[in-house]
Amino acid sequence: MTARVGVVTFPGSLDDGDAARAVRIAGAEPVRLWHGDPELHGVDAVVLPGGFSYGDYLRCGAIARFAPVMETLVDAARGGLPVLGICNGFQILCEAHLLPGALTRNQHLHFRNRDQVLRIESVGTAWTNTFQPGQEILIPVKNGEGCYVADTATLDALEAEGRIVARYVGGNPNGSQRDIAAITNAAGNVVGIMPHPEHAVEALTGPSLDGLGFFTSVLKHLVGTPA
């Protein structure tokens, strides 16, 4: 049976269509989920896409965190549902307390849009199990509030527990502490990433095909998860 991966659309979402296409290219069925509908419609995993949910008012992700779909999703994620938050989706996951820390204004106060090298640090998550430890990949980054921050104890815990999923290589585009580009929760089913793997799944439009591994990884994870 083909895996069904939900992609949530919030008011102001920008990359939901790209995320759905990446899901399809990976071999799964994308299911469009609406912010105002609390039902997850039986999906096997969920992607929170990039964009500017609710216009980024208050803080990026602060309003989206209270959307009806998030009330259901938070419980499902705590129960083991794989969830990938990309850019604004990462911000929403932090606001929802599914991931620690916060994403703040880029240190240089400029929007940054470029192709970015990342080093994969953890391959034990639902979204990175097809990569190799230390593998370097090239995917786009585009954000104005992508600087990951947390207190020292949280950062040390992420390091010690192997929960830093990816780091920036060859220059940090936003000033994120310890060059953090992506993190995971303790269970490994929830991952937040600031760069955009969904923009690196086709040779025609992306700088590489390296982003596809995030989407094929969750399919591999689902195959190995008992029903």
Side-chain angles (χ1 to χ4, degrees), residues 8-15 47-57 59-65 70 84-96 103 142-146 192-196 198:
V8 179
T9 297
F10 299 95
S13 289
L14 176 65
D15 299 312
V47 177
L48 298 178
F52 307 91
S53 59
Y54 297 91
D56 282 348
Y57 289 109
R59 290 185 309 277
C60 300
I63 299 176
R65 177 259 178 274
M70 287 302 299
L84 177 66
I86 303 170
C87 195
N88 187 222
F90 188 2
Q91 295 162 341
I92 295 169
L93 290 176
C94 289
E95 289 286 343
L103 285 306
K142 52 175 190 177
N143 62 74
E145 288 88 12
I193 181 168
M194 184 48 56
H196 288 261
E198 79 281 16

Side-chain angles (χ1 to χ4, degrees), residues 2-3 17-18 55 59 62 74 76 83 90 128 140-141 154 175 180 188 202 206 213 216 227:
T2 302
D18 300 82
R59 290 185 309 277
V74 167
V83 179
F90 188 2
T128 56
V141 62
T154 297
I180 289 173
E202 295 176 293
T216 56

Side-chain angles (χ1 to χ4, degrees), residues 25 50 67 71 79 120-121 136-137 141 148 156 161 164 166 171 182 184 194 205 214:
I25 291 171
E71 296 179 14
I120 301 297
E121 301 280 356
E136 293 190 359
I137 65 174
V141 62
Y148 181 78
D156 289 345
E161 297 167 13
I164 296 175
T184 184
M194 184 48 56
T205 58
F214 289 88

Side-chain angles (χ1 to χ4, degrees), residues 2-225:
T2 302
R4 303 173 73 246
V5 179
V7 178
V8 179
T9 297
F10 299 95
S13 289
L14 176 65
D15 299 312
D16 45 339
D18 300 82
R21 185 172 69 250
V23 167
R24 186 180 298 109
I25 291 171
E29 175 189 352
V31 178
R32 304 305 289 265
L33 302 177
W34 186 241
H35 68 104
D37 180 1
E39 296 297 323
L40 298 181
H41 301 281
V43 298
D44 303 300
V46 169
V47 177
L48 298 178
F52 307 91
S53 59
Y54 297 91
D56 282 348
Y57 289 109
L58 296 183
R59 290 185 309 277
C60 300
I63 299 176
R65 177 259 178 274
F66 292 102
V69 71
M70 287 302 299
E71 296 179 14
T72 310
L73 183 59
V74 167
D75 288 340
R78 288 174 176 158
L81 182 77
V83 179
L84 177 66
I86 303 170
C87 195
N88 187 222
F90 188 2
Q91 295 162 341
I92 295 169
L93 290 176
C94 289
E95 289 286 343
H97 305 296
L98 287 173
L99 293 175
L103 285 306
T104 63
R105 182 82 174 174
N106 292 352
Q107 274 192 350
H108 44 67
L109 303 182
H110 296 287
F111 189 92
R112 187 64 78 233
N113 182 5
R114 73 186 192 197
D115 296 332
Q116 176 69 47
V117 178
L118 306 180
R119 183 174 62 248
I120 301 297
E121 301 280 356
S122 173
V123 298
T125 81
W127 298 93
T128 56
N129 59 68
T130 61
F131 294 105
Q132 297 298 316
Q135 181 178 344
E136 293 190 359
I137 65 174
L138 179 68
I139 64 176
V141 62
K142 52 175 190 177
N143 62 74
E145 288 88 12
C147 179
Y148 181 78
V149 298
D151 61 82
T152 300
T154 297
L155 293 169
D156 289 345
L158 290 173
E159 297 265 17
E161 297 167 13
R163 292 170 54 194
I164 296 175
V165 172
R167 297 184 202 264
Y168 298 112
V169 175
N172 185 327
N174 46 43
S176 288
Q177 292 179 319
R178 305 194 189 183
D179 295 329
I180 289 173
I183 62 172
T184 184
N185 65 342
N189 63 302
V190 178
V191 168
I193 181 168
M194 184 48 56
H196 288 261
E198 79 281 16
H199 294 330
V201 297
E202 295 176 293
L204 179 64
T205 58
S208 72
L209 302 181
D210 293 343
L212 193 58
F214 289 88
F215 301 95
T216 56
S217 286
V218 77
L219 302 188
K220 179 181 176 182
H221 170 80
L222 291 171
V223 168
T225 301

